[in-house]
Amino acid sequence: MLNIGGRLTRIIVRSYATKSNEIGNLVKKNKVVVFMKGVPEEPRCGFSNAVVQIFRMHGVTYDAHDVLQDEDLRQGIKEYSKWPTIPQVFINGDFVGGCDILLEMHKNGELVEELKKVGIKSALLEKEDASQNEATKSKE
């Protein structure tokens, strides 16, 4: 511990712990939470936009946090998840991954299953069900 930094170190540690606790609360506040660049109505990077579009297709309501508005949050979420890039997606408080992982889960159907585990029915399933009902009715 440095003589000058003794007090400063305590403040930094306390600040980090508080930010970590705050982030822990944020990721558990809703079933789906996204830390992104920009906001869903106006994403500020292509990867964040891709996450927004995937959740839009599934009809998922989620909490979004713009890391460009808060550098402490931007760095803090990376330390919290031990993941170096933004966006970051959490489902039921658990870190899922970034854009590439969410896209892969969307493609292979895992996202529908993960959403189902937390009580969210994907809009894609509802469209699929409606299509099957129409096909059944037309056969009758």
Side-chain angles (χ1 to χ4, degrees):
M1 199 186 261
L2 299 171
N3 290 339
I4 300 171
R7 183 172 176 194
L8 181 60
T9 302
R10 278 194 294 273
I11 291 169
I12 290 171
V13 170
R14 186 170 41 229
S15 175
Y16 174 73
T18 301
K19 190 54 95 171
S20 181
N21 289 340
E22 289 171 15
I23 290 171
N25 290 334
L26 289 175
V27 302
K28 294 174 184 146
K29 201 169 190 175
N30 198 344
K31 290 179 181 179
V32 179
V33 178
V34 178
F35 293 85
M36 61 184 287
K37 293 179 181 175
V39 294
E41 298 77 25
E42 205 173 314
R44 303 274 307 273
C45 84
F47 299 112
S48 291
N49 184 47
V51 168
V52 168
Q53 296 307 318
I54 290 168
F55 281 135
R56 191 170 288 153
M57 282 188 278
H58 287 271
V60 174
T61 302
Y62 56 93
D63 285 349
H65 300 280
D66 182 358
V67 300
L68 296 177
Q69 297 299 314
D70 183 347
E71 186 61 31
D72 289 339
L73 179 61
R74 185 178 186 168
Q75 293 309 314
I77 192 62
K78 292 175 183 181
E79 292 170 13
Y80 180 87
S81 65
K82 297 176 180 53
W83 189 259
T85 59
I86 303 291
Q88 294 191 13
V89 177
F90 291 79
I91 297 179
N92 210 33
D94 295 325
F95 177 62
V96 173
C99 175
D100 52 347
I101 292 172
L102 195 70
L103 182 58
E104 188 59 35
M105 290 174 71
H106 166 69
K107 287 179 182 177
N108 67 22
E110 283 181 54
L111 183 56
V112 169
E113 294 305 313
E114 288 302 310
L115 294 171
K116 196 183 296 184
K117 288 178 187 176
V118 297
I120 299 173
K121 184 172 184 179
S122 169
L124 295 179
L125 284 182
E126 292 172 5
K127 289 177 186 174
E128 193 176 281
D129 291 347
S131 295
Q132 288 176 351
N133 288 340
E134 286 298 316
T136 303
K137 286 180 185 177
S138 64
K139 289 181 182 177
E140 292 175 350

